[in-house]
Structure formats: structure tokens, C-alpha cells
Amino acid sequence: MRIAIPVHDTHVAAVADFTSALLLLDYQPGRQLDRRQVEFPSRLIPAKVATLVDLKVDLLICGALSREFAAMVVHSGIELLPFISGSIEDVLAAYNRGDLSDQRFLMPGYQKTMRWCSKGRRRRQGRFGWQRFLPESMATKTEKGGD
Amino acid sequence: MIEMIDNKKDRKYTDLIIESIADGIFTVDLNWIVTSFNPAAQEITGITKTEALGRTCREVLRASCCEKDCPLKEAMQTGNPVVNRVVSIIDTNGEKRSISISAAAIKDSNGRVTGGVETFRDIGSIEKVRDDIGKEYTCQDILSVNYEMRKIFDLLPVMAESSSTILLEGETGTGKELFAKAIHNLSPRRSKPFVAVNCGALPDTLLESELFGYKAGAFTDAKRDKPGRFAIAEGGTIFLDEIGDISPALQVRLLRVLQEKTYEPLGGVTSVRADVRIIAATNKDLENLVRNDQFRNDLYYRLNVIKIVIPPLRERKEDIPLLADHFITRFNKIQHRQIAEISESAIAYLIRYDFPGNVRELENIIERAFILCRTGQINRSHLPELYEHDPCEDAGHKDCADSLKEVEAAFLMSALKRNDWNRLKTARELGIHKSTLFRKIKSLGLDVPSSGKTTG
């Protein structure tokens, strides 16, 4: 499984739309096989999504992102785990443990953003990966478009 | 630089002020942790105060400048405030918004930096208001607040409905082709081609074959039929720019197209029927050319069915701020830049200039300013030297930011002129009380001809 994380220095970039560096990880549960950093060749959103597709990314873990970017990623069949914040190592360790729903890894205002992010989820090819990390009560609410 | 408030009472007042300000404001400590967050900041970002406090500012603001070009970092490192930097943010609805940011360092009584304060304003909504205002003064792609221009705007749809030939007269750079396109787009022919030909750019013989096309064998190397611009524009509109430059021989051929609605391609033996609307344009005084026998009078009368005279920019200086703003928006889009505005002193400087190259020259000036301007605002230093001596500086004025007054003066004078200097009529037209008009005339020092009547 290939995971991509837009990064800045040692942490997950605050906004994927405005970031040029991308960390790529080939991952199997419990261990990382390979790890390298690449640059998005363009700052335009469609070009960024095309790069993710070309790089055969399965999962995008990122900070905030625009609706446009989110829709394109999901339509491309890439699993999206957005509004994540923190240092790369902490985030990866939490991902390994299945612990990314911990408040300290979620960006402020994530509840509001997840509401629009979850809409139309079923119509799309990809999915929003955070659903499986959330407490069941929250996942059910957001799926219905509620709080 | 902002000095930290030690006194508890003062602190309380400061908090009250911050809470009531319409601009978004937040403060951070030395670790970029948000320590205060006002209601306007909540409104713009979509993040509540509770969510924001204790988080890093980059997680809260989510701006394009956060990781590479942080204004707060710059202000805290240099001690100098950063003013009006235009950036994008992603709000909690996933929408990209343009904001203007200013930042300053917070220092304690010993001058040590203890944090920073950032203020920001949503300029997306300002842009929307600008768009809404712009619509009122827009006809297709032409913008103007000038009365003469708006009279033309009102007539354009009517003119466009008919198939009559139109003659556009105006100095170079006034946007004659834009008018021709606007007429075409408003006409029933809009789904058919719009073909523009610059008659002054081609030698006579070439222009003839270009306009009417040629048949195979018409001349050496004419191996195949070539359709002319009239054939390409069939059903649509042909725009003949610089019509005053065509030769007498071509004038005769063009007259035939206008009279008979037919033409013969070069080397052809049969006439071709043309269903094309002709819009001609010139920067010369055709009437004068007719008087000097340089232009056929019968062609002039055929062309002059409807005449539109486009006023030069120096006669509609009130359009300069609107046009400058329009070009800034356009170049921002084309060049992916984020220039917010042009300063008042820069507008004042432009308004004193006569623009022999008209709107095109203004466009070039703004384009040049885009190269030099690295901040959010175009100011006087980004503009070229337009006069040998700046009349404003010569007059000894230190502050040249009189742009609004100058625009207002130009606007009032044009309104007074078209109402035969009648103040009451002018006040009625402008929807203001006559005493307001008198006060404005006096305060602006306008020299209104005494022959004008003061009662309606």
C-alpha cells in the first residue's frame, strides 16, 4: 500500500493545496518498506491529483484541503484521510496503531469540515479513510450529514 | 510593534476593542500557539475561539503563506510590521478565500518579543461588491462610468438588433474592436463568425485578395480557390479597422459590397452574394478626408449609417480608477498574482496624465507596474515617469492623494456640461440636492461658466 503525505519540514503540511513537498511511503501493516520525498511538479490542483495517480498512491493523509482538491482525490479512487495535524513520525505511529482519531491529530474545526467532506461519499469511487478511525457515534452522525 | 499591556484594566479595554473590531485578529506566543481569537476571525476562518485557542496559528489560519512566507514570523524576527499582504486561506467549508494580512510583533516593557499579532480582512467579499458595482458600468467587456459612454451602452443593443453598417470613430487605443465585438455579441448574428481585418496593415493588392478571396489561376501560385474574409464572415460580422487607410480602388469595390451586397473574388467571373454585417472603424476624421478628396463621399455616406464616436480616455478620466482596477483583476488572473489595489496617490498621478494612447496605454502602464510591484499595492513608484515635470510636485503639493476629488470634479463638470451648465437640471440628474451640488462646486473650486442658468 502506498501512502502519500503533503509535508512541510517534519510535520504534515497545514494545507495540501498550498504545499509542494510530498512524502511517499510504501507501507505494510506494522512496517514501512520504502520512504522518499518528491515534489509536486505544479501547484495547480488537477496536476497535483494527476501526480498522485501517476505515483499509484492508495491513501492520502493530509491537513486541510479545498473541496475541489478533496473531490478530485476521491474521484480518482484514492482514499483520503484529511484534516490531520502533527509531526510525520507521530502521525505515522498513530496510523499504525489505528489511533489517528485522537483529538491531538485532528485539525481545529475538523467536525465542520468532515460534514461537507462526507457528503456524496457513496457516489464516489474512493472513500474518506477517516471514517474507520472515528468513534462509531461520530462516524454515524457525519454519514447522515449531521453533527 | 505592539507593546504588551501589563495593566489589568488596560488589558480588559484592549480585549473589548479587539472583540468588537470587524477585522479578524489573533495573537500568538513565541511557539506560534494562538492565545486570543476575536469573533471576526471566527467568522472568516469558520473556526471557533475554543477550537483555535491552544493550537498553532498555521492549523487555524490555513493560509498559503503559512509555511514559506509567514508574515508573523517576518514581523517577529525583524520587529517591523508587515502590512496588507494578500494571501489565500482554506476555510472550514473547504472554500478558498482571499484575505489581506497585516502582522506585528508584541514586545514587553523591556523590548523583548513575546509574541505576535495578526489582523486579517476578507477581501473576497470586497471583490464581490466590486463585481456587483462593475456590472452596472459594464457592457460586454467595456467598462465605463462616463455619461457619454453609458449613453452608447444604452444604444448598443438597439444598434446591434439591426443589420445596418456602423462606423466607429475614436482615437487609437479607445477599444474600437471591443465595441465591434460587443455589437456582434448582442446581435442576432452572434452565433456566426466575427472576423476582424486591419485594413491599414496590408498592402492594397493583398488586402483585396484577403477581403474577397481568389479563384484558382487568378495569378501565379493561385493553385486553389481561397475564400476571403467576407466569405469566412458569412452570416456574421466583418470588422474593417482603419478603413480610412484603404486605396481609392478598394473603396470602389467596398462600395459595391455595401450597395449591391455582392462581390467578385479575384479572378472570378460570377458575383457572390454576401450576408455580412459591416462594422468599420477609423482613428481619422473621415469627414475631413472626404473634404480633401482622399475618401469617397458615397462610401462615407454608406458607412456612416450609424456613427459611434468613442471618447478618448482624457475626456473620461473618471473611468481611470475603474479601468485600473479592472486591469489589476485581469493581470492577477493571467499572471497568478495577488495585487490587491492601486494606491490613491498612484491614481492621482494617472489622472493628471492625458493618455495619448488611451485605454491601451493605461493597460500597458498597469502591466508594467505588475512587473515592479512585489507587494499587495501598486503605488506611485511602480508607475513610469509620465511627465517631464509632475505638475502636482511643481505646484508644491506634498500630498498628491487628491484622486477622488479630481475624479469627482471631472464627473461633475461632464454632468454640468451635458446639462448646458444648468445646476438644477444637473442636480436632478445626479439625484442630489441643488445645495449639495453648489457646495461641491464651491469646495472643488470648479469654474462653471456664468452663462449657465441656476434654475430649471
Side-chain angles (χ1 to χ4, degrees):
Chain A
M1 178 190 196
R2 181 162 288 177
I3 301 174
I5 310 175
V7 292
H8 178 69
D9 289 341
T10 55
H11 52 257
V12 179
V15 189
D17 296 56
F18 306 138
T19 311
S20 58
L22 185 72
L23 183 71
L24 279 179
L25 300 126
D26 283 330
Y27 175 87
Q28 275 182 0
R31 65 190 184 118
Q32 280 173 35
L33 303 175
D34 186 31
R35 182 171 173 154
R36 67 193 160 107
Q37 195 164 314
V38 296
E39 292 282 313
F40 281 118
S42 165
R43 61 192 186 88
L44 299 175
I45 303 301
K48 282 187 173 177
V49 177
T51 306
L52 294 173
V53 173
D54 288 347
L55 291 168
K56 297 186 170 52
V57 169
D58 300 298
L59 168 68
L60 180 71
I61 298 176
C62 62
L65 81 173
S66 62
R67 279 178 188 245
E68 181 194 3
F69 199 173
M72 284 190 200
V73 167
V74 177
H75 273 285
S76 305
I78 297 169
E79 192 175 0
L80 180 61
L81 195 49
F83 317 116
I84 299 296
S85 161
S87 81
I88 296 165
E89 301 313 322
D90 289 349
V91 165
L92 285 174
Y95 177 77
N96 234 341
R97 295 193 301 269
D99 204 14
L100 266 182
S101 62
D102 191 296
Q103 284 283 337
R104 67 193 172 108
F105 295 113
L106 295 171
M107 293 186 87
Y110 71 94
Q111 281 160 313
K112 219 175 285 174
T113 41
M114 277 172 183
R115 237 176 280 160
W116 61 258
C117 228
S118 63
K119 280 180 186 165
R121 194 168 52 87
R122 288 192 203 98
R123 289 201 305 272
R124 296 166 180 163
Q125 292 166 15
R127 62 198 179 103
F128 286 96
W130 50 260
Q131 287 286 339
R132 61 195 157 94
F133 291 99
L134 290 176
E136 201 175 312
S137 58
M138 186 182 278
T140 315
K141 276 182 186 174
T142 51
E143 207 167 307
K144 285 175 186 165
D147 299 337
Chain B
M1 174 192 75
I2 290 169
E3 215 166 271
M4 204 167 79
I5 298 137
D6 294 327
N7 185 314
K8 272 186 184 173
K9 197 178 168 190
D10 285 349
R11 170 108 208 174
K12 199 177 155 192
Y13 283 130
T14 312
D15 286 348
L16 202 64
I17 292 165
I18 288 174
E19 293 286 305
S20 61
I21 282 176
D23 284 0
I25 302 177
F26 68 82
T27 53
V28 293
D29 63 15
L30 290 174
N31 295 316
W32 315 106
I33 300 294
V34 175
T35 51
S36 67
F37 202 70
N38 80 340
Q42 297 178 52
E43 178 73 23
I44 297 168
T45 60
I47 291 172
T48 63
K49 185 176 179 177
T50 322
E51 288 169 330
L53 295 180
R55 305 299 295 247
T56 59
C57 54
R58 61 184 198 93
E59 288 177 300
V60 174
L61 193 63
R62 305 164 179 190
S64 53
C65 60
C66 283
E67 278 153 0
K68 283 185 179 164
D69 196 18
C70 174
L72 254 182
K73 195 174 180 180
E74 187 180 322
M76 284 162 71
Q77 281 176 351
T78 62
N80 299 323
V82 174
V83 181
N84 280 343
R85 189 170 291 172
V86 179
V87 301
S88 301
I89 60 163
I90 303 284
D91 68 12
T92 47
N93 282 322
E95 304 292 349
K96 196 184 272 188
R97 301 173 82 150
S98 293
I99 59 165
S100 168
I101 286 186
S102 300
I106 300 175
K107 295 186 178 181
D108 64 13
S109 49
N110 298 320
R112 277 184 311 219
V113 174
T114 57
V117 57
E118 191 158 285
T119 64
F120 52 101
R121 179 177 297 183
D122 184 2
I123 58 170
S125 52
I126 296 171
E127 278 166 7
K128 192 183 173 301
V129 173
R130 271 189 200 158
D131 282 354
D132 291 346
I133 294 168
K135 272 177 202 156
E136 254 186 71
Y137 304 112
T138 306
C139 179
Q140 297 285 311
D141 290 332
I142 313 160
L143 284 105
S144 183
V145 290
N146 175 270
Y147 180 77
E148 296 298 326
M149 289 287 280
R150 291 181 67 193
K151 267 201 312 197
I152 300 174
F153 289 177
D154 291 342
L155 288 173
L156 277 188
V158 185
M159 294 172 185
E161 275 300 311
S162 78
S163 283
S164 308
T165 305
I166 293 180
L167 178 63
L168 298 169
E169 265 187 23
E171 291 180 8
T172 180
T174 46
K176 295 185 285 291
E177 189 165 341
L178 271 185
F179 271 89
K181 272 188 192 156
I183 293 164
H184 173 74
N185 290 336
L186 291 166
S187 77
R189 296 170 176 267
R190 69 179 75 90
S191 58
K192 301 287 182 179
F194 172 84
V195 177
V197 185
N198 188 332
C199 301
L202 297 168
D204 213 39
T205 45
L206 202 57
L207 181 61
E208 193 175 347
S209 71
E210 195 62 31
L211 286 179
F212 305 115
Y214 55 78
K215 291 284 179 190
F219 48 83
T220 317
D221 282 343
K223 294 187 175 101
R224 279 185 296 188
D225 290 3
K226 180 185 180 277
R229 299 292 180 99
F230 269 96
I232 295 168
E234 182 61 21
T237 307
I238 191 163
F239 172 58
L240 304 174
D241 200 3
E242 297 189 36
I243 193 82
D245 292 350
I246 62 171
S247 70
L250 201 59
Q251 287 178 30
V252 177
R253 293 206 66 184
L254 205 55
L255 181 64
R256 186 159 174 241
V257 181
L258 285 166
Q259 278 178 336
E260 319 278 334
K261 302 280 177 205
T262 59
Y263 65 92
E264 277 159 23
L266 229 62
V269 285
T270 50
S271 295
V272 180
R273 189 141 192 92
D275 173 25
V276 178
R277 184 191 203 165
I278 297 175
I279 301 177
T282 180
N283 56 13
K284 292 181 176 166
D285 182 355
L286 276 195
E287 226 172 313
N288 201 26
L289 291 181
V290 170
R291 273 196 294 272
N292 295 332
D293 288 333
Q294 288 169 297
F295 201 84
R296 291 181 67 98
N297 60 358
D298 41 8
L299 176 60
Y300 173 67
Y301 295 125
R302 283 280 171 190
L303 290 172
N304 191 16
V305 180
I306 302 170
K307 184 156 99 173
I308 300 173
V309 180
I310 307 169
L313 191 54
R314 68 177 168 278
E315 287 177 16
R316 49 183 181 109
K317 289 192 170 182
E318 62 269 40
D319 281 347
I320 291 173
L322 184 72
L323 289 167
D325 202 37
H326 166 71
F327 291 132
I328 289 171
T329 311
R330 224 182 78 198
F331 289 127
N332 272 335
K333 280 184 187 158
I334 294 170
Q335 301 181 13
H336 304 292
R337 296 281 301 279
Q338 286 171 335
I339 304 281
E341 57 182 5
I342 180 164
S343 72
E344 288 219 343
S345 59
I347 285 286
Y349 181 73
L350 289 174
I351 282 173
R352 287 192 299 278
Y353 183 56
D354 270 347
F355 289 95
N358 287 296
V359 183
R360 189 183 293 133
E361 188 177 6
L362 175 62
E363 185 181 6
N364 292 344
I365 288 171
I366 301 292
E367 189 172 3
R368 176 191 186 273
F370 258 67
I371 299 166
L372 301 176
C373 179
R374 309 315 300 177
T375 58
Q377 190 187 54
I378 292 173
N379 54 45
R380 167 69 189 85
S381 66
H382 303 124
L383 303 178
E385 290 301 323
L386 298 172
Y387 336 85
E388 275 187 40
H389 303 288
D390 186 343
C392 186
E393 279 167 18
D394 287 354
H397 296 296
K398 281 182 184 169
D399 180 10
C400 286
D402 290 337
S403 62
L404 288 175
K405 279 187 180 172
E406 291 187 40
V407 171
E408 197 175 8
F411 187 74
L412 284 184
M413 282 303 271
S414 75
L416 283 160
K417 193 177 167 189
R418 70 175 167 267
N419 284 299
D420 300 324
W421 309 108
N422 184 318
R423 277 84 156 167
L424 189 57
K425 267 190 188 174
T426 308
R428 271 191 205 140
E429 185 198 296
L430 298 174
I432 57 174
H433 196 270
K434 66 176 179 182
S435 58
T436 310
L437 180 66
F438 276 97
R439 202 177 58 245
K440 281 186 181 291
I441 290 171
K442 198 177 169 189
S443 68
L444 293 166
L446 298 182
D447 186 15
V448 182
S450 54
S451 58
K453 294 173 187 169
T454 53
T455 55

